[in-house]
Amino acid sequence: RQNAFVGLTNLGATCYVNTFLQMWFLNLELRQALYLCPSANCEYAAGEGIPKDKDYEPQTICEHLQYLFALLQNSKRRYIDPSGFVKALGLDTGQQQDAQEFSKLFMSLLEDTLSKQKNPDVRNIVQKQFCGEYAYVTVCNQCGRESKLVSKFYELELNIQGHKQLTDCITEFLKEEKLEGDNRYFCETCQSKQNATRKIRLLSLPCTLNLQLMRFVFDRQTGHKKKLNTYIGFSELLDMEPFMEQKNGVYVYELSAVLIHRGVSAYSGHYIAHVKDPQTGEWYKFNDEDIEKMEGKKLQLGIEEDLAEPSKAQTRKPKCGKGTHCSRNAYMLVYRLQTREKSLTVEVPAFLQELVERDNCKFEEWCNEMAEMRKQSVARGKIKHEEVKELYKRLPAEAGSPYDFISLEWLQKWLDESTPPKPIDNTACLCAHGKLHPDKISIMKRISEYVADFFYRRYGGGPRLNGKASGWRTPSTRAERVLGFAVPVLFSLCRNDGFWVGKASLRSWRQLALEQLNEQDEDAEHSNGKMNGNAQNKDESNEEKREEEEELNFNEDIVCPHGDLCISENERRVVSKEAWEKLKQYFPKAPEFPNNKECCSQCKILEREGEENEALHKMMASEQKTSLQNLFHDKCRPCLGSWPQETDELYIVSQFFVEEWRKFVRRPTRCSPVSSVGNSALLCPHGGLMFTYASMTKEDSKLIALIWPSEWERIQKLFVVDHVIKITRTQAAGADPESALYVSEPKLCPECREGLLCQQQRDLREYTQATIYIHKVVDNKKVMKDAAPELNVSSSEAEEEREENKPEGEQDPDFNQVEIKNTTRFLGFSIILLSQRDGRAPPATSSAHCQQPKTTASSMVIFHACLIVLAQIMHAFSVAPFDQNLSIDGKILSDDTATLGSLGVIPESVILLKADEPIADYAAMDDVMQGEGRLGGGTHND
């Protein structure tokens, strides 16, 4: 191994576990105590040794840690697998947990497990190493009575928001808090609530002081956790005496570990650890399997501080003096009490060392096997190299020499792979007559007979497809003669004189010949070898075939738009003069292009211009993407909802411009470059802004894109800007951030803004298809019918078309359609009632009392008329039409001749159904429905 330490495998998302394991491993007192913990296995405890035929399986968390620490101490591997330990904890290897929460829970679990041990050095190790005490002290302002509540702690959780130094965070943790107003303290002496002060006093500190920096906090605006990328300075020596209640002890600590979180999100990222070796004083960086030793016994955070949130990239790193560091990714600092005592020398127990040696033997055997396999592979490679070198020169078949066809795939494996390929198998390339199939020629390679003899002798297989085997039976028809000519044409290599032939023409011609041949074979099978049809039918058939051949427009696929030879050589190939003369017999009108003919000069000029434009576009795209990195990535752009602290002004462009520009940058050769920003789309005809600051943070945020000031300067240089739109924040010094004012340039146009909102409201009320929900109210509680009866408004004609397209007699158990002969308008639209099985849910309601009564077997029923709607509501909720009262936002729906929009019913609306009196006699209600109907309590007659 290159380093003195062993790495740990990342099992998917377990990097946070690996960092803590490495940190705890280098706590020598904890490691020694764990080694002293007796094994639960009686054979190991009695010192009888480990059975050779039995693998060691730890039973407890302590045994897993013992074995893991022993491997970390004496294993010869570069890294080991901690899956046994992770599995014992029941952790999900694919999901990253909260690292700070994991540390707390595991320490609690370890303490509880060790508390059952008899040896006090083992039983109390967690308390000795990590446990301290502080007191919550409350002092009554009226009588001065002091109450104290003593608590243990294993780590101090420090708020870092608004602070730059670790000592400031500790000071805030211990600061005095006033209890006033509603938060007053009940004093036992005064027997009443009094104003008081409360603070934390540190009573004792542990040998290992864990300081949790609260980088992951809850964001009230988004409702999720976020990471604070605040720089925090900390020193390698920390004097805790000023923070202690008793000043007569030794409280100087030295830094021993820094745990780092790489990434901008609180829900993802990567964890690494910088840990100091207590025996040598050298710093190491533990990154899962990789371990790096720092130079000069100094802590070097390095690249970890460059991986911060892009939008915060302008924040400068504070200058750090000697013996101090600053980090915006450190989330846990570990300090050890400074002592002059020599560090412990921890020895691995005998039974654990035997397990480690057994694992080392397995590893050495594996290494030897790998070395032998590598040696054999090199030897085979040399033999194969000589074989390929010898045969490759003789591989091509010379003109007039015997040849064989062999699979191109098999030949590729023979060339590329060091292991011997499988026997040659040509059966997949044979036609019905046992010969080489013309359609398979593209996947075959013609080689010399000498090389073919070697291949079949060395690797075996077959059948062989030599010159004789590929010579098809004597052609008896014109189609067979055309087809029989396919191979010589495709494989005739032009030495000097030749002609260009389009590859597409060759494929079409071959396909035509195959179809004709297949038709003739079928006719021969039907007639059992006899003549079928008469001479007239034959003449008609031959005439049709000639017409089909003429329709091929042979060789016109290589003619350019200017009537000359096309410039793309990928679309054509050269055939010999003899082959072309044969083709001319079949296609006398085919364009003729000798292989020495120059391509179309006009096409060359156009191609050159196109290549120059593509190169220019690629260069433009590359330069623009480099200059506008934040604009290219959404996550790097500022957000109005959480205004960035680095600047008081932001610029605005339309989201359409951003999307078009991204298309060009991603595919510069396929999309046109963007030349102008086009901010006029965001302004009204009077030049005023169409959006308010509040709307741009919410519903209109999808229409705009925010730009950093530095990036705006580059945009002005790269594009034509018709209008500059800017948002400026003004805030008094020391004022609350929520009191800031936001001013836009140009200012908002109130008249046009109001017109835009009115137009949006009109658009909401004018629709042809939407989803509406119905909630039944019982005793002022909303009752939902199977995810609520959902009213999906669509055109009646579309529903009737679906009804007509349904095959007669076909029944879909999840789709029952009611046939309506005389449809009547219900608010101008047809309605669909959906059940839970449809998969969609209605909008969330404020009521906590939602019931889901049983429904009929149908999961979707379609309505077309007011009476049918009332009937279906009756069947769904057991409410008769004359007991139904429908309303929306307190307004009674009584006009069944109006449209939904005019009644204020917009998409996703919730209509409330209130029943006067439930009736269960459906038959009686159906009779009533034949003669009358009511919407919302009002009578309606068709």
Side-chain angles (χ1 to χ4, degrees):
R1 295 202 315 267
Q2 184 179 1
N3 296 301
F5 295 103
V6 180
L8 291 166
T9 303
N10 190 336
L11 304 176
T14 57
C15 50
Y16 69 100
V17 179
N18 293 346
T19 57
F20 282 107
L21 284 174
Q22 296 286 12
M23 183 185 70
W24 293 328
F25 171 73
L26 286 174
N27 186 313
L28 301 184
E29 291 81 5
L30 176 63
R31 194 198 313 175
Q32 186 179 49
L34 285 171
Y35 284 163
L36 293 175
C37 186
S39 173
N41 193 310
C42 59
E43 294 178 349
Y44 306 146
E48 298 178 1
I50 303 168
K52 297 287 185 181
D53 57 344
K54 186 178 180 182
D55 291 333
Y56 176 62
E57 295 180 359
Q59 301 299 317
T60 64
I61 294 297
C62 289
E63 290 183 5
H64 277 286
L65 267 181
Q66 280 181 336
Y67 186 43
L68 204 57
F69 282 2
L71 289 173
L72 288 174
Q73 185 168 341
N74 289 336
S75 177
K76 294 183 179 180
R77 299 177 184 267
R78 190 173 70 87
Y79 53 85
I80 59 176
D81 183 0
S83 56
F85 173 74
V86 172
K87 186 178 180 181
L89 291 178
L91 298 175
D92 184 356
T93 58
Q95 184 177 0
Q96 198 170 81
Q97 307 291 337
D98 187 314
Q100 296 172 336
E101 190 69 19
F102 168 76
S103 173
K104 295 177 188 176
L105 294 175
F106 183 77
M107 274 297 154
S108 176
L109 174 64
L110 186 62
E111 181 182 16
D112 182 63
T113 305
L114 295 178
S115 64
K116 302 177 180 63
Q117 298 296 321
K118 296 180 180 179
N119 188 338
D121 293 333
V122 177
R123 183 174 62 248
N124 302 323
I125 184 62
V126 175
Q127 290 87 339
K128 288 181 180 179
Q129 282 296 309
F130 306 104
C131 186
E133 284 188 346
Y134 55 58
Y136 289 98
V137 180
T138 306
V139 180
C140 177
N141 291 353
Q142 180 67 26
C143 66
R145 180 182 182 273
E146 181 177 288
S147 63
K148 183 185 296 185
L149 176 64
V150 179
S151 298
K152 292 181 179 181
F153 71 88
Y154 295 87
E155 53 202 13
L156 297 180
E157 298 181 350
L158 306 179
N159 174 40
I160 64 172
Q161 201 161 14
H163 301 300
K164 295 182 179 179
Q165 296 295 328
L166 176 64
T167 51
D168 296 337
C169 301
I170 300 176
T171 302
E172 188 202 7
F173 180 77
L174 301 174
K175 75 175 182 180
E176 191 175 84
E177 175 189 4
K178 293 182 179 181
L179 305 179
E180 298 175 341
D182 294 338
N183 200 26
R184 287 185 300 170
Y185 161 73
F186 183 83
C187 178
E188 294 290 341
T189 302
C190 300
Q191 286 296 306
S192 63
K193 285 189 175 183
Q194 299 291 339
N195 291 342
T197 59
R198 177 178 292 168
K199 63 180 179 179
I200 297 176
R201 292 179 184 172
L202 292 176
L203 304 179
S204 65
L205 295 177
C207 297
T208 302
L209 181 61
N210 294 327
L211 302 179
Q212 294 276 12
L213 305 182
M214 305 305 290
R215 289 206 175 272
F216 308 114
V217 298
F218 181 77
D219 188 350
R220 292 183 178 179
Q221 292 183 341
T222 62
H224 299 284
K225 285 199 302 182
K226 69 176 182 179
K227 180 183 177 183
L228 299 177
N229 291 294
T230 305
Y231 273 110
I232 294 295
F234 52 93
S235 61
E236 294 188 8
L237 290 179
L238 177 63
D239 187 3
M240 292 294 291
E241 185 177 4
F243 306 107
M244 300 298 296
E245 184 179 33
Q246 302 294 332
K247 311 288 186 181
N248 54 359
V250 179
Y251 301 108
V252 179
Y253 285 80
E254 59 182 2
L255 188 66
S256 65
V258 180
L259 273 60
I260 298 289
H261 174 266
R262 291 179 180 175
V264 298
S265 171
Y267 297 96
S268 62
H270 184 59
Y271 291 89
I272 64 172
H274 293 261
V275 188
K276 185 178 182 180
D277 184 356
Q279 294 178 323
T280 63
E282 296 173 328
W283 282 91
Y284 290 83
K285 181 171 76 172
F286 294 88
N287 184 7
D288 292 332
E289 297 91 347
D290 301 321
I291 300 174
E292 180 183 353
K293 180 182 177 182
M294 303 290 102
E295 297 180 359
K297 294 187 177 182
K298 294 180 180 179
L299 172 62
Q300 300 172 19
L301 297 180
I303 194 174
E304 284 74 34
E305 297 312 309
D306 298 332
L307 301 174
E309 186 177 357
S311 62
K312 309 290 184 182
Q314 297 178 357
T315 305
R316 292 185 177 180
K317 181 179 180 180
K319 293 183 179 179
C320 300
K322 186 177 181 180
T324 60
H325 305 274
C326 55
S327 171
R328 56 180 166 186
N329 288 319
Y331 71 92
M332 183 172 178
L333 303 176
V334 181
Y335 283 88
R336 294 270 297 170
L337 189 63
Q338 197 175 44
T339 177
R340 295 182 179 179
E341 297 179 2
K342 281 189 175 183
S343 61
L344 292 174
T345 301
V346 182
E347 298 292 338
V348 179
F351 82 94
L352 286 175
Q353 182 59 32
E354 186 178 347
L355 291 172
V356 173
E357 290 176 357
R358 178 186 293 184
D359 183 74
N360 287 340
C361 290
K362 291 181 180 178
F363 178 65
E364 289 178 356
E365 291 175 1
W366 179 83
C367 290
N368 293 333
E369 290 178 3
M370 291 298 103
E372 184 62 28
M373 290 175 62
R374 191 177 298 110
K375 183 178 178 181
Q376 294 176 3
S377 178
V378 170
R380 286 195 301 268
K382 289 181 178 180
I383 297 173
K384 184 63 176 291
H385 178 74
E386 294 298 327
E387 178 182 306
V388 172
K389 184 178 178 181
E390 177 186 355
L391 297 178
Y392 193 76
K393 295 179 181 179
R394 307 185 65 170
L395 190 65
E398 298 292 336
S401 301
Y403 61 86
D404 268 65
F405 284 104
I406 198 167
S407 168
L408 199 59
E409 180 183 4
W410 185 93
L411 194 62
Q412 190 70 35
K413 290 181 179 180
W414 173 77
L415 286 170
D416 295 343
E417 297 179 3
S418 58
T419 57
K422 296 180 180 179
I424 304 169
D425 185 7
N426 292 327
T427 55
C429 303
L430 301 179
C431 68
H433 313 104
K435 309 294 182 179
L436 177 59
H437 198 292
D439 276 347
K440 305 296 183 181
I441 291 176
S442 59
I443 61 173
M444 303 296 285
K445 176 70 175 177
R446 190 172 67 162
I447 63 174
S448 66
E449 189 179 57
Y450 173 83
V451 176
D453 290 339
F454 177 86
F455 282 158
Y456 284 106
R457 185 171 59 252
R458 176 76 177 272
Y459 302 108
R464 290 191 64 163
L465 299 174
N466 51 29
K468 297 178 181 179
S470 59
W472 289 298
R473 55 198 168 95
T474 303
S476 57
T477 64
R478 184 171 182 268
E480 291 190 24
R481 287 196 296 274
V482 174
L483 188 60
F485 180 59
V487 175
V489 169
L490 291 176
F491 286 92
S492 57
L493 300 178
C494 177
R495 303 302 180 191
N496 297 312
D497 299 332
F499 291 83
W500 288 111
V501 177
K503 293 181 179 179
S505 293
L506 287 174
R507 287 194 296 268
S508 300
W509 160 61
R510 185 180 59 183
Q511 183 63 30
L512 174 63
L514 282 172
E515 290 174 359
Q516 293 178 353
L517 180 59
N518 291 335
E519 290 175 3
Q520 293 172 357
D521 288 343
E522 290 175 2
D523 292 342
E525 290 176 2
H526 289 313
S527 60
N528 196 20
K530 297 180 180 179
M531 294 290 290
N532 57 15
N534 50 34
Q536 183 179 355
N537 292 338
K538 284 187 178 181
D539 293 339
E540 292 177 357
S541 177
N542 292 335
E543 183 64 27
E544 290 176 359
K545 291 171 185 175
R546 280 195 295 272
E547 290 177 357
E548 289 178 356
E549 292 172 5
E550 290 175 1
E551 289 175 0
L552 279 173
N553 298 326
F554 190 83
N555 227 27
E556 290 188 7
D557 53 320
I558 61 173
V559 179
C560 75
H562 311 105
D564 212 337
L565 181 63
C566 70
I567 59 176
S568 175
E569 292 193 12
N570 293 331
E571 299 176 4
R572 48 190 166 92
R573 62 169 299 168
V574 177
V575 298
S576 66
K577 182 179 179 181
E578 294 79 8
W580 175 250
E581 291 175 353
K582 188 69 175 177
L583 287 169
K584 286 288 286 185
Q585 296 177 14
Y586 300 121
F587 310 103
K589 296 181 181 180
E592 185 173 297
F593 299 108
N595 67 333
N596 56 2
K597 180 176 177 56
E598 292 291 333
C599 299
C600 177
S601 57
Q602 298 182 53
C603 290
K604 285 184 178 179
I605 295 173
L606 293 175
E607 183 186 36
R608 186 162 56 249
E609 292 177 352
E611 291 175 351
E612 292 174 355
N613 287 337
E614 286 186 2
L616 179 61
H617 288 179
K618 287 181 180 178
M619 183 178 67
M620 288 174 58
S622 178
E623 291 177 356
Q624 291 180 11
K625 183 178 179 181
T626 303
S627 301
L628 304 174
Q629 279 288 339
N630 291 340
L631 189 62
F632 188 77
H633 301 285
D634 274 329
K635 62 181 180 181
C636 304
R637 283 164 41 193
C639 176
L640 288 179
S642 55
W643 189 283
Q645 300 299 322
E646 292 80 3
T647 181
D648 288 329
E649 62 179 25
L650 294 172
Y651 291 84
I652 292 177
V653 296
S654 68
Q655 185 63 28
F656 176 77
F657 159 74
V658 176
E659 292 173 355
E660 291 298 310
W661 175 76
R662 285 177 180 170
K663 290 179 183 177
F664 167 69
V665 170
R666 291 189 179 106
R667 296 183 176 181
T669 60
R670 298 185 182 181
C671 302
S672 302
V674 180
S675 58
S676 60
V677 173
N679 269 349
S680 59
L682 304 178
L683 304 178
C684 70
H686 314 111
L689 189 62
M690 294 288 286
F691 312 107
T692 64
Y693 175 80
S695 71
M696 286 189 289
T697 62
K698 296 177 183 177
E699 65 270 11
D700 294 329
S701 60
K702 296 180 180 180
L703 303 177
I704 64 166
L706 297 175
I707 306 297
W708 295 100
S710 59
E711 202 161 35
W712 177 252
E713 295 177 2
R714 295 192 288 272
I715 287 178
Q716 288 182 308
K717 296 177 182 178
L718 294 172
F719 307 98
V720 176
V721 180
D722 53 354
H723 297 282
V724 178
I725 304 177
K726 181 171 66 173
I727 298 288
T728 305
R729 178 183 63 175
T730 57
Q731 181 180 354
D736 187 2
E738 296 182 358
S739 64
L741 298 177
Y742 301 92
V743 181
S744 65
E745 296 179 18
K747 294 184 178 180
L748 175 74
C749 181
E751 294 83 3
C752 294
R753 174 63 182 174
E754 185 177 356
L756 175 64
L757 293 177
C758 292
Q759 182 61 41
Q760 290 175 348
Q761 288 298 320
R762 284 196 295 271
D763 293 342
L764 279 176
R765 297 173 186 273
E766 296 177 2
Y767 49 86
T768 58
Q769 185 169 356
T771 300
I772 300 170
Y773 303 92
I774 290 184
H775 280 270
K776 181 184 176 185
V777 179
V778 179
D779 296 332
N780 295 325
K781 297 179 182 178
K782 296 177 182 178
V783 179
M784 182 172 62
K785 179 66 174 180
D786 267 8
E790 182 179 336
L791 304 182
N792 187 314
V793 184
S794 59
S795 70
S796 300
E797 294 179 0
E799 303 295 354
E800 291 170 0
E801 288 176 4
R802 283 201 292 268
E803 187 175 3
E804 292 172 2
N805 293 335
K806 187 76 173 180
E808 184 177 357
E810 182 179 338
Q811 295 294 330
D812 189 338
D814 286 339
F815 187 97
N816 293 334
Q817 185 166 355
V818 179
E819 183 180 356
I820 307 297
K821 294 183 179 179
N822 298 317
T823 60
T824 307
R825 294 179 62 204
F826 168 57
L827 309 180
F829 299 91
S830 62
I831 312 296
I832 296 179
L833 177 64
L834 300 177
S835 81
Q836 244 177 352
R837 275 183 283 173
D838 185 66
R840 286 181 283 177
T845 64
S846 59
S847 174
H849 305 282
C850 288
Q851 304 175 10
Q852 295 182 352
K854 295 181 180 179
T855 61
T856 57
S858 63
S859 64
M860 181 184 293
V861 185
I862 297 181
F863 314 91
H864 293 280
C866 167
L867 298 181
I868 302 302
V869 172
L870 299 177
Q872 292 301 327
I873 293 177
M874 172 186 69
H875 285 290
F877 292 98
S878 300
V879 179
F882 40 77
D883 290 327
Q884 296 176 14
N885 294 278
L886 304 179
S887 63
I888 181 170
D889 296 332
K891 178 182 177 182
I892 302 298
L893 302 182
S894 58
D895 186 2
D896 61 341
T897 63
T899 64
L900 286 172
S902 63
L903 291 175
V905 181
I906 62 175
E908 303 295 328
S909 292
V910 179
I911 297 177
L912 298 184
L913 165 65
K914 188 172 183 180
D916 291 337
E917 181 180 354
I919 299 178
D921 189 354
Y922 292 163
M925 288 188 284
D926 287 339
D927 294 336
V928 174
M929 288 297 298
Q930 301 298 324
E932 62 174 300
R934 236 165 35 96
L935 175 62
T939 304
H940 166 72
N941 296 319
D942 286 337

